[in-house]
Amino acid sequence: MRAQLRRLDPILIQAVIAAALSFAHIHDIAEAAGQGGWKAWAYPVSVDLLMIAAWRRMRSDIPAQRKGAWFWFGLALAASLAANIGTAGVLDLTNLPTPLRVIVGGWPAVAFLGGTLLFHSRKTHAEPEPDEAPDDEPQAPADEPPAPPADEEIEPPANEPEKPVLVSYADAADALGVAPETIRGAANGPKARLTKYSGLTPNTVRVDLNEARRVIRRPAGV
């Protein structure tokens, strides 16, 4: 039990005490103004509810709601503050002045107007619901081409030209198992069968290893 008492927030306790005192003071003013029985208890309820509703609108993200809520919050706070001061010996509760009796009598209509405006301001600024529900099927982006039908055959891409593998005469001879003179003779002369490529230096010549395989190792009689 003591552990639970330690967990109570002092600010919450102070707020409950202040609310109870304010509640009793408004009741006393209403009762002194001729509102006896349950009606005297209904006055502090209406004041506190109007203040709470206005405070909730003041925390809204919509500027129009906050602007109107400040007025009703200030009005409820002024009514509570006036009741607290009036019961502190400032007023004779046995003989309240007529203007104060008029204010107490007209408070229910004012509280009803404020609560109605605060409630409908939430409905007016609520986000509109969409007219039509979004389609469940995902749509393809506009820049992507449509997929071909399933019954159509997709043509394979054209074969890209084979990139040459450039090697020296000696490297080509080692790879093919022939003498370097054979590679040199196939790449030079009036009947050259191999294409020569320039190397890194002017005196360096390269040949395509794939082309050498096709030319040097071709079947006899071809």
Side-chain angles (χ1 to χ4, degrees), residues 74 104 107 112 121 127 146:
V104 172
W107 172 258
F112 177 78
S121 65
E127 296 183 359

Side-chain angles (χ1 to χ4, degrees), residues 106-138:
W107 172 258
V110 175
F112 177 78
L113 176 63
T116 303
L117 293 178
L118 290 173
F119 177 78
H120 284 286
S121 65
R122 180 185 65 178
K123 296 294 184 180
T124 303
H125 295 88
E127 296 183 359
E129 298 181 357
D131 297 336
E132 297 180 359
D135 297 336
D136 295 337
E137 298 180 358

Side-chain angles (χ1 to χ4, degrees), residues 10-11 42 56 68 92 98 105-106 110 126 155 161:
I11 299 178
R56 293 187 62 183
D92 183 7
T98 301
V110 175
E155 297 181 358

Side-chain angles (χ1 to χ4, degrees), residues 35-181:
Q35 308 294 330
W38 66 270
K39 293 182 291 184
W41 293 106
Y43 272 82
V45 174
S46 67
V47 173
D48 292 344
L49 288 181
L50 182 61
M51 187 180 300
I52 293 173
W55 172 251
R56 293 187 62 183
R57 291 295 175 273
M58 288 165 56
R59 300 178 62 185
S60 174
D61 296 335
I62 303 175
Q65 290 187 5
R66 294 197 300 267
K67 183 178 180 180
W70 271 106
F71 171 78
W72 295 110
F73 181 82
L75 182 63
L77 182 62
S80 178
L81 183 61
N84 296 332
I85 297 175
T87 56
V90 178
L91 297 175
D92 183 7
L93 298 182
T94 61
N95 186 19
L96 292 181
T98 301
L100 182 57
R101 292 176 180 269
V102 173
I103 294 174
V104 172
W107 172 258
V110 175
F112 177 78
L113 176 63
T116 303
L117 293 178
L118 290 173
F119 177 78
H120 284 286
S121 65
R122 180 185 65 178
K123 296 294 184 180
T124 303
H125 295 88
E127 296 183 359
E129 298 181 357
D131 297 336
E132 297 180 359
D135 297 336
D136 295 337
E137 298 180 358
Q139 298 180 356
D143 55 349
E144 293 185 1
D151 54 350
E152 293 185 4
E153 296 181 357
I154 302 176
E155 297 181 358
N159 295 330
E160 297 181 357
E162 187 179 12
K163 296 182 179 180
V165 180
L166 303 181
V167 294
S168 63
Y169 291 159
D171 293 339
D174 292 340
L176 299 179
V178 297
E181 289 75 10

Side-chain angles (χ1 to χ4, degrees), residues 166 197-206:
L166 303 181
Y197 298 88
S198 300
L200 299 177
T201 59
N203 297 329
T204 306
V205 179
R206 294 288 187 268

